[in-house]
Each structure stands twice: as C-alpha cells, then as structure tokens.
Amino acid sequence: MELKELKIAVLGTGANGAALGADMIRAGLDVTFIDQWPQNVEAMRANGLVVKFPDGTVETTKIDALHLCQIAELKVPFDIVFISVKSYDTRWSVELIKPTLHDKSVVVGLQNGMTMDDVADIVGPTRTVGAVLGIAANMFEPGIVNRQVYRSGTWITVGNYSCAGISRLDEVKGALSYAANTVISEDIWSSKWMKLIANIPEMLPSAILNVPLLSAVQVDGVRAVMDEASREAYNLACKLGVTMLPIFGKTAEEVPTSSQYALDLLDAVLESYSLPDTRVAVLQDWDKGRRAELDAFNGYVVEQCWRRNDRAPVNEAILRLAERIEAGELSPSLNNAELLVAAGRA
C-alpha cells in the first residue's frame, strides 16, 4: 500500500507527536491529530500547528485535529496509530483508540519508557511496533512547538515487538523518515533499553534541580551522581540480557563493552539534543503542574531490580527525591543539589 493511501493518526500531539506528525502531513500523508488538551486542539484548528526552529525559521501546517472525545465519532479505521502520550497514559489511550483499528493496523509507541508491553497486551504483539526517539522539542503554548533539533539531527529507531509482526514496519519507517533519520532494529527491546539508559541520568536529576540539562551537569558533584545512576541501569540491562546497540546515529564500533557506554550515551544527549535552555520532559511536566513519568525512568530501574531481589540504590535515592517533589514536600530547585549529591553516596 502506498504511504499516501494510508490513514494515520497521532494520538497525543504535544511537542514530539505534533512535530513529527506535522512533517508527515507536509509530505502529503493523511494524518489526523487527536489530543486531550482542548486548547491545543482549538489552536491548531484555528491557526494550524506552528513549529519554530532554533534559527528562527517558522513553519505553519494545516492540521485535522480532533478532541479526545471525538474518537467515538470516527467511522473509517486507521492503518497506523502513533501513540505519543505520557507513559502513564499508555494503557487507557490504546484502549480508547482500539475500536478504530482493523485487523492489519499497527500501534507505534513514540514514547520514552518501556511501554511496548502495555501496547502489546491490548492490541496484541503482532500489531505492536516500538520506537526509540532522539528528538528535543517543547510545547508551552497550545498549537506552538519549539523544535530544538533539526530534522537532520533527529533520529528514530523502529522495530516489531513480535518477530511475527504484521508487515507494516517499512510503512512506519517510511512515514517517520519525513521527520527524522529512521532505521529499523531487529531487537527493539534492546534498542528501547539504550534510550532508557540515556534517559536515566538526565531526566530526574536536572528536574530536581530545576535547571536545563546543560546547567545541571555543571553543578558540583551532580555529573558523578548521573554517571553512577547510569552504571546501575547498564548493569541491570546486562543482567536482563539486553544487547548493547548503537543509537543516536552511533556505529557498532562506537559501542564499548563496558559501562562506559552508559556514560557515552549521556554525552551524546548533551552534545546533540541539548541547547542551553533545554528542559527535560520531567521538568516540563512539573513546570505545567503535571505529574511526571517517574516510573518510566529511574522508577523502572528500581522496580526491575526489586523483582530480581536486587537494588539500584542511587536510582532509588533519586526517585525518592522526585517523589518528595510530587508530594509537595520539596520544590524543584538548585537548593536540592546537596540532597542530590548525597543520593550518589546511597
């Protein structure tokens, strides 16, 4: 089936989903946006989606945008659904979109975290596609995306959850290739783990300090905490049988056979996906008064260790600080630096 004949949905059109979806629309694909933020939908309907780039370039794209409640009004099924909601919203989102699928539709998780199991549990392993994102963007106003990495520097890896997957993987890759350098992984589980290892040191620590990532690594003692959290995640991945794979455009030759790779992945994030004002997704959620994806990052490592009667003490200490912030006991602040550095000695 030709790409332009496919019916595609992007469910969750915040910064990442909207930016990637807009590129697909600009390439002539049939893409419907569905979002739970009413003001975002109304802004896109009225003004199109505005995407701003670091050099000042602005692109405005006409969008077919639906409110979440309008899913029940859809009559024609989608061939591909890209899910770009917060990890904790995955299960209900997939259940909600499931009636709009046919027997050869696929659901693609354009998300951080290990959400593939949730998707596969609902629509089946053969209709589940995983994705690894190397993108930096934010959305602080409805209908406006600030894309901090150009298409040429954006990387996406996709792969079937099941080796018996429905053969839409090439179509998924083709659609996303309009927005990013897109490759296929034969082991998407391991590829997803690579992104998780990259996210572990950046997401919660810089959010706890309430500063952009590039500023957080300059705070005395913080990079050492980040590195130790990375090593814990790397060691857990090895115990789980994860294969260390190249991501972010790296080659196989650039993958060392040691935990140094975990540190290299953070360096890649700092070099290629961070501007001086780049605030990580967790901090963006806190800025908006939202609950963040704690369980998708350090919390996931802590839980997986707990299941093995093991521990990741630095990740656990970082998680507890983040939980105190969400409980209102602490506020995101550089004043938390001492507590964060102490977490590295857990």
Side-chain angles (χ1 to χ4, degrees), residues 12-146:
T13 54
N16 291 345
L20 299 174
D23 285 342
M24 289 186 261
I25 291 171
R26 295 175 75 85
L29 304 190
D30 181 356
V31 181
T32 300
F33 281 21
I34 306 169
D35 201 56
Q36 60 180 311
W37 185 10
Q39 292 90 338
N40 192 32
V41 172
E42 293 303 325
M44 290 188 290
R45 285 175 169 178
N47 307 312
L49 177 74
V50 178
V51 179
K52 299 180 178 180
F53 292 87
D55 65 358
T57 300
V58 178
E59 293 179 350
T60 301
T61 305
K62 184 178 179 181
I63 301 294
D64 180 11
L66 300 178
H67 293 287
L68 201 64
C69 60
Q70 293 181 285
I71 289 177
E73 301 171 10
L74 295 169
K75 307 299 183 184
V76 180
F78 295 111
D79 300 297
I80 300 173
V81 174
F82 293 104
I83 300 288
S84 189
V85 299
K86 295 297 179 181
S87 60
Y88 51 70
D89 286 331
T90 300
R91 293 195 67 90
W92 69 258
S93 295
V94 178
E95 289 282 12
L96 194 63
I97 203 69
K98 185 178 178 181
T100 73
L101 307 178
H102 55 74
D103 59 0
K104 292 187 178 179
S105 303
V106 295
V107 176
V108 187
L110 295 177
Q111 302 166 284
N112 287 315
M114 306 296 284
T115 58
M116 293 189 300
D117 290 341
D118 289 330
V119 176
D121 189 44
I122 296 167
V123 301
T126 63
R127 296 201 292 171
T128 300
V129 175
V132 180
L133 303 183
I135 185 173
N138 60 60
M139 177 184 276
F140 297 113
E141 301 175 66
I144 301 175
V145 172
N146 300 296

Side-chain angles (χ1 to χ4, degrees), residues 85-305:
V85 299
K86 295 297 179 181
S87 60
Y88 51 70
D89 286 331
T90 300
R91 293 195 67 90
W92 69 258
S93 295
V94 178
E95 289 282 12
L96 194 63
I97 203 69
K98 185 178 178 181
T100 73
L101 307 178
H102 55 74
D103 59 0
K104 292 187 178 179
S105 303
V106 295
V107 176
V108 187
L110 295 177
Q111 302 166 284
N112 287 315
M114 306 296 284
T115 58
M116 293 189 300
D117 290 341
D118 289 330
V119 176
D121 189 44
I122 296 167
V123 301
T126 63
R127 296 201 292 171
T128 300
V129 175
V132 180
L133 303 183
I135 185 173
N138 60 60
M139 177 184 276
F140 297 113
E141 301 175 66
I144 301 175
V145 172
N146 300 296
R147 190 161 176 176
Q148 297 191 298
V149 175
Y150 296 99
R151 297 179 186 91
S152 60
T154 301
W155 293 86
I156 299 179
T157 300
V158 294
N160 283 329
Y161 182 87
S162 167
C163 61
I166 291 171
S167 57
R168 286 208 183 276
L169 193 57
D170 286 339
E171 293 168 324
V172 170
K173 176 190 174 185
L176 290 172
S177 292
Y178 290 113
N181 297 291
T182 306
V183 298
I184 290 175
S185 172
E186 299 299 325
D187 181 1
I188 193 62
W189 184 66
S190 291
S191 294
K192 291 284 285 182
W193 255 99
M194 298 304 96
K195 181 63 185 305
L196 177 63
I197 292 172
N199 286 151
I200 287 298
E202 57 155 344
M203 286 292 185
L204 271 61
S206 64
I208 288 167
L209 298 177
N210 193 27
V211 294
L213 180 57
L214 287 178
S215 298
V217 296
Q218 300 300 320
V219 176
D220 286 347
V222 168
R223 178 62 196 257
V225 178
M226 292 177 169
D227 287 349
E228 191 54 38
S230 298
R231 292 187 186 98
E232 288 182 352
Y234 178 93
N235 291 336
L236 171 62
C238 290
K239 292 175 183 177
L240 293 174
V242 173
T243 301
M244 299 300 156
L245 299 172
I247 62 168
F248 299 150
K250 289 183 175 292
T251 65
E253 291 72 25
E254 296 175 302
V255 182
T257 57
S258 71
S259 61
Q260 178 61 42
Y261 189 43
L263 281 55
D264 292 346
L265 290 178
L266 176 56
D267 287 337
V269 171
L270 294 170
E271 179 180 352
S272 300
Y273 300 99
S274 300
L275 296 177
D277 63 345
T278 300
R279 295 166 78 81
V280 297
V282 170
L283 186 50
Q284 290 184 43
D285 286 334
W286 286 348
D287 286 341
K288 297 170 184 175
R290 295 178 180 174
R291 177 164 52 97
E293 300 170 290
L294 307 187
D295 291 342
F297 302 118
N298 305 73
Y300 184 81
V301 171
V302 171
E303 180 189 8
Q304 293 300 312
C305 284

